[in-house]
Amino acid sequence: MDNGDLEGGGGDLAFHGKGGRKYSPVVAHDRAVLEMSSMDPGSSSDSKSCVRKNNAGTLGSLDSDGREGSNPENGGANGPYQEHKLELFGFDSLVSILGLKSMTGEQAPALSSPRDGEDVSITSGQPKPSAVKMGTMMGVFVPCLQSILGIIYYIRFSWIVGMGGIGDALLLVSLCGLCTFLTGISLSAIATNGAMKGGGPYYLIGRALGPEVGVSIGLCFFLGNAVAGALYVLGAVETFLKALPSAGIFTETTTKVNGTVSEPIQSISTHDLQIYGIVVTIILCFIVFGGVKMINRVAPAFLIPVLFSIFCIFIGIFLAKKDDPAPGVTGLSLESFKDNWSSDYKNTNSAGIPDAEGNVHWNFHALVGLFFPAVTGIMAGSNRSASLKDTQRSIPIGTLAATLTTTGLYLVSVLLFGAVATRDKLLTDRLLTATIAWPFPAIIHIGIILSTLGAALQSLTGAPRLLAAISNDDILPVLNYFKVAEGSEPYMATLFTAFICMGCVIIGNLDLITPTVTMFFLLCYSGVNLSCFLLDLLDAPSWRPRWKFHHWSFSLLGASLCIVIMFLISWSFTVVSLALASLIYYYVSIKGKAGDWGDGFKSAYFQLALRSLRSLGANQVHPKNWYPIPLIFCRPWGKLPENVPCHPKLADFANCMKKKGRGMSIFINILDGDYHERAEDAKAACKQLDTYINYKNCEGVAEIVVAPNMSEGFRGVVQTMGLGNLKPNIVVMRYPEIWRRENLKEIPGRFVGIINDCIVANKAVVIVKGLDEWPNEYQRQYGTIDLYWIVRDGGLMLLLSQLLLTKESFESCKIQVFCIAEEDTDAEGLKADVKKFLYDLRMQAEVFVIAIKSWDVQPENGSQPDESKEAFTAAQQRVADYLAEIKETAKKEGTPLMADGKPVIVNEQQVEKFLYTTLKLNSTILRYSRMAAVVLVSLPPPPVSHPAYCYMECMDLLVDNLPRLLMVRGYRRDVVTLFT
């Protein structure tokens, strides 16, 4: 783009603002452009500095030649208009879009996708000389026509008409033509939905269905192209040996007896095909090594003999007379047309000659497999996408035009071949096209050889580039040997392709190779159709193809037709090809590198999630369908190393709350500070936390929230996190065991505040004590899981114990339920009721009823362990000292009692009762569950308006000397049900 072009384009952008002010176009040498082009678009600080520069200075205008000059409108009442021009045009985007950075000599970073840099980079300095671009005719139509019109038409098509009859042949051509036409429509839609890189259909399928599907189908398509090269080579060699039988080294002669007349028939030896085929493949490989320029110069010349030979065939058909030039040629005859209308499937030998004792049986399904390669080649245009002037116009027009042209040619040829010769002639003369061609058969021989060699060159050229494109995406490390730099020739991939091609040539049997090619091509076509079907059905905002003549039903029909044809040809080949693609898919999913291409599956997951969320509505989930959605509070106390995003065992515990890994966990961390200042820190922390989750194989998402302090941040999270019924219903955090040792005086208030926030928000709470000792998936536990069921919690504690049993770590444990009751409670009746309740819940557990004396009874000597009494005495003393301190402070300042910045009410008798009840519960747990694998106990709610310090002392006393404890508080609903 020169200055004149830029100014001309910019003139369209000029407009009048309010008050009639005219805004001038953006031009390359504007000082504002120079300043904006030198800054980093992603840096906010640079943007601010740039704005300060523009506001401080006065920008000059440009004359028609692009020279900077004075501006009479600078200054004045309205001020310089350039400031407003910067705002109105949005320079950050405009500079990149217009490519102005390259004009200023600055190096602009290439816009790239998260994986492979799909967009074209903006180069700096002098532009590189671009390669010659091709239009629709030479870039798409001619390659497609050359690939489609090949060996099958010349040496098999008349034989197909003779074997299947005109009726089945018409059905065959229509079926295969419809398949490729629908695939062409799908290809046109996807190819016009954005820019295309190398790789042809692999690129389209991979970006639509994901890297795993793209690589699996792409490698199969590569194998199909490599095998197709062998098909074309064998076709050329067979034609050459048929034209010059004396060139055969191992020529075979068979005799056909027709009544009393014997007729010698020469059949080509498989060894001749192998020897000549290997030689031709090596020669073609050397040509391919000469580069794509040489191939592009030679390939169009191959099409002229093809078109001329077809013209000679049609002239010969119309000029043919009965029994002239050869027996069996009737000329265009209605009688021959009627005789050849119906099918006449026979057994043949390996060379295709009818033989009652032949080992090859033919039917319509087999003919589909034999003929379908004659309609392949529609991807030849998309394979050249990098060399096209306008891919979004050339690919649809050229591909569909070539498909319709060849399909029409085949339909007309069925009618003409069926009327020009007898069935015996159609079945025995494999080169009938040469026999009837005008003026002499050599034209057809030359046309066939050049056509097949040209198609083989295309295969040996396209297949290596397809393999190189797959390798360059860096999905499979094993393919790194075939990587090539941009603009370089894929020599290693070419050698590998030639090796595969020669291996297929050694097989030597054309009829055994064609079904393999058919399966791989049909697999690719079905992938293209499924890609278009998925994208069209989801109709994401990015789905805006320029090709409008498409519909998801056409793509679905095309994909279904491809699958049906695959099974019609051979169910065994179909199973093998699908199994191969599945193995590659599985291998890529395990060994491949992750690639985010914005594929259609992710869009489908998003749409499905939205529909599921809407179907759930805002109603409460029935207990039968209740799943725990834990909100994992990673660092509530802030005492982990700075580079550790979460406690190492927290994800292990989160996995224990899921049955067979089903369910979602939300890992939350809160950063203190201002959001604008710590936004980048939050992004880095979120990435670090997400890495931790993936490393732990935990199904969950990472969320980082920036808030002024931990309490306000959690209060906002517990209100807003989640959507509809997918909001977290359990808050999980570790117990702050180090708060007194580290003298963290803010912990009690924060701890009580979190519990109260969960109660108000109707969230369940699970607090884990002894998280350092929590087992991982490989550490098997033995013993019991003991539940101390004190208050009704909706069955959450029972459900958590059952979920623990589903993990390998705890599957050898047994559940014990301890019911805490007053002394005057009917213990036996309570035990029977609990057993019946557990039986109805389908839970196996042993039930115990433990009576505890009234709260107002003081500890008796010998009723508690020594360590519990010592802990109780120490807690009493600390609580008394704390209460005396806050009373003294309130008396000195003349204010009400204050704790944690809030007024409190101290009922010392109630505090004493609460502390003593906790002591008795701790003593009971130590007596019965000291050796338990894990203990679950009901979490008592914090007393209203009491100091948080007192509650924290009670919790310390509750968990004292217990290595692994879960404190559980349910919420106002049942999570288990008795009913089926």
Side-chain angles (χ1 to χ4, degrees), residues 545-567:
R546 294 183 182 275
W547 182 260
K548 302 301 181 182
F549 303 101
H550 65 93
H551 193 264
W552 63 265
S553 59
F554 293 160
S555 301
L556 181 60
L557 178 61
S560 303
L561 199 57
C562 290
I563 301 298
V564 168
I565 291 177
M566 290 177 71
F567 280 98

Side-chain angles (χ1 to χ4, degrees), residues 69 88 187 231 257 273 275 302 324 354 396 400 442 452 455 457 494 518 528-529 550 599 624 736 835 915 964:
L88 288 168
L187 174 67
L231 170 69
V257 179
L273 291 175
I275 294 174
F302 288 135
D324 182 30
L400 293 176
T452 50
L457 267 179
T494 302
T518 302
V528 172
N529 282 299
H550 65 93
D599 55 85
K624 289 191 296 184
K835 280 188 173 182
L915 195 62
R964 201 179 293 159

